[in-house]
């Protein structure tokens, strides 16, 4: 047994790695439109193998002629899925220390703005960058590079502001751009009642790891999109706790510390001369 392991440990390692890759790929594409395309690709590969084995010269020549474009076709057909897969690999815990975090002050200002916009029935779409950069989205809008404040966000989305129809992108503690154009979700199972803002919020979270906060202009409801999923009808407390959870426990701890400091200052205020 030991001799077998010494002679074939590389083969066993190779099999283990390939099995893990195929298992991860199966779990990743299961339930998505990529699953059907992947089945079609497997059928083509099986046909190529049978054509070579059975010496079907005509079919073998046709498939061999198309081999040069298979890689390009694969990249084009699976572009959204490949981008999402690479994003998930680069978004692991070991890489998060290299990315900027969203400060608790920014989250508090964001919650204040969203609550105010909801009370007024003003539509809004706010995208918060996480590990994946949103430079291509930022370039579609108007650069601002301003500190995130509730007043600024409310002003941007209040008509007749020329930027109120697009999305705002927040990176770290900076509001980097407004009036940005987002990709719409391609999910065919979405409800027809969902408007353009909600479909855009889902679209950007399907392609990146960003968080999108939506205020409906029709119902004034607050929703959060993350990972291609939409959580609707949130109140101020649920929105704050959800954002704190999504951006890490340290944000929630910082927010609690700030609230305790503010409470202590309020209690000490009457005692001051």
């Amino acid at each position: 047994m030991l001799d077998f392991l010494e002679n074939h440990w590389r083969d066993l390692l190779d099999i283990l790695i390939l099995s893990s890759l195929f298992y991860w790929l199966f779990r990743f594409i299961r339930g998505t439109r990529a699953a059907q395309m992947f089945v079609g690709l497997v059928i083509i590969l099986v046909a190529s193998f049978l054509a070579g084995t059975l010496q079907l010269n005509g079919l073998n020549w046709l498939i061999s002629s198309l081999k040069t474009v298979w890689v390009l076709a694969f990249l084009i057909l699976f572009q959204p899925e490949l981008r999402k897969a690479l994003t998930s690999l680069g978004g692991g815990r070991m890489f998060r220390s290299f990315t900027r975090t969203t400060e608790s002050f920014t989250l508090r200002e964001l919650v204040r703005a969203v609550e105010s916009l909801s009370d007024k029935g003003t539509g809004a779409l706010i995208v918060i960058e996480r590990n994946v950069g949103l430079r291509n989205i930022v370039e579609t809008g108007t650069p601002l590079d301003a500190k995130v404040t509730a007043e600024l966000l409310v002003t941007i989305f209040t008509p007749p502001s020329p930027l109120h129809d697009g999305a705002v992108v927040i990176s770290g503690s900076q509001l980097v751009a407004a009036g940005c154009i987002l990709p719409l979700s391609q999910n065919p199972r979405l409800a027809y009642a969902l408007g353009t803002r909600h479909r855009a919020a889902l679209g950007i979270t399907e392609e990146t790891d960003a968080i999108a906060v939506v205020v409906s202009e029709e119902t004034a409801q607050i929703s959060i999109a993350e990972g291609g999923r939409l959580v609707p009808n949130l109140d101020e407390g649920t929105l704050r706790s959800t954002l704190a959870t999504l951006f890490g426990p340290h944000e929630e701890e910082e927010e609690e510390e700030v609230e305790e400091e503010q409470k202590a200052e309020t209690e000490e205020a009457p005692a001051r001369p």
Side-chain angles (χ1 to χ4, degrees):
M1 183 65 180
L2 292 177
D3 292 339
F4 177 81
L5 292 176
E6 289 178 359
N7 295 328
H8 299 281
W9 68 270
R10 290 185 178 84
D11 297 332
L12 294 174
L13 180 61
D14 192 20
I15 294 173
L16 178 61
I17 293 174
L18 287 176
S19 301
S20 300
L21 287 174
F22 278 111
Y23 175 72
W24 177 81
L25 179 62
F26 171 75
R27 289 194 59 186
F28 184 79
I29 68 173
R30 185 178 58 181
T32 67
R33 62 175 182 172
Q36 289 76 22
M37 292 190 291
F38 185 74
V39 171
L41 182 61
V42 170
I43 292 175
I44 294 176
L45 293 175
V46 171
S48 175
F49 173 77
L50 292 176
T53 303
L54 301 177
Q55 296 182 355
L56 304 176
N57 297 328
L59 182 60
N60 192 28
W61 172 83
L62 178 62
I63 295 176
S64 299
S65 301
L66 295 175
K67 281 183 179 179
T68 55
V69 298
W70 276 11
V71 175
L72 291 178
F74 179 83
L75 293 175
I76 293 172
L77 290 175
F78 290 91
Q79 181 183 9
E81 287 75 18
L82 289 172
R83 182 164 55 235
K84 188 174 181 180
L86 293 174
T87 298
S88 64
L89 286 175
R93 293 182 179 178
M94 68 176 64
F95 301 106
R96 289 179 183 174
S97 59
F98 296 98
T99 58
R100 57 169 68 94
T101 59
T102 302
E103 298 178 358
S104 57
F105 172 81
T106 302
L107 296 183
R108 288 198 305 274
E109 292 296 300
L110 172 60
V111 172
R112 282 183 53 213
V114 170
E115 184 68 14
S116 176
L117 292 166
S118 177
D119 291 340
K120 297 177 181 178
T122 303
L125 176 53
I126 303 171
V127 179
I128 310 170
E129 183 184 75
R130 296 171 82 185
N131 297 325
V132 180
L134 300 176
R135 181 177 178 181
N136 59 324
I137 300 298
V138 170
E139 289 175 350
T140 65
T142 301
L144 296 178
D145 197 22
K147 185 176 181 180
V148 176
T149 63
E151 292 76 15
L152 178 57
L153 288 170
V154 171
T155 301
I156 289 173
F157 288 110
T158 300
S161 167
L163 302 176
H164 77 278
D165 277 336
V168 159
V169 176
I170 294 175
S171 178
S173 60
Q174 295 296 109
L175 197 161
V176 293
C180 299
I181 301 173
L182 305 183
L184 299 182
S185 173
Q186 301 298 319
N187 187 348
R189 293 172 293 185
L190 292 180
Y192 290 105
L194 287 180
T196 304
R197 279 194 178 94
H198 293 82
R199 293 179 181 273
L202 288 170
I204 191 63
T205 61
E206 287 171 356
E207 296 188 6
T208 70
D209 65 343
I211 304 296
V213 181
V214 188
V215 179
S216 173
E217 189 172 356
E218 290 77 17
T219 64
Q221 288 187 358
I222 302 171
S223 305
I224 283 184
E226 190 266 334
R229 298 180 297 273
L230 188 70
V231 182
N233 198 17
L234 301 176
D235 56 26
E236 182 181 358
T238 307
L239 174 64
R240 182 184 293 106
S241 60
T242 302
L243 288 174
T245 300
L246 290 172
F247 286 95
H250 63 283
E251 303 290 352
E252 191 171 4
E253 292 172 0
E254 290 179 3
E255 186 170 346
E256 290 177 356
E257 292 176 0
V258 172
E259 290 178 354
E260 290 177 359
E261 291 177 0
Q262 292 176 347
K263 184 178 179 181
E265 291 177 358
T266 304
E267 292 175 352
E268 294 174 1
R272 296 175 182 174

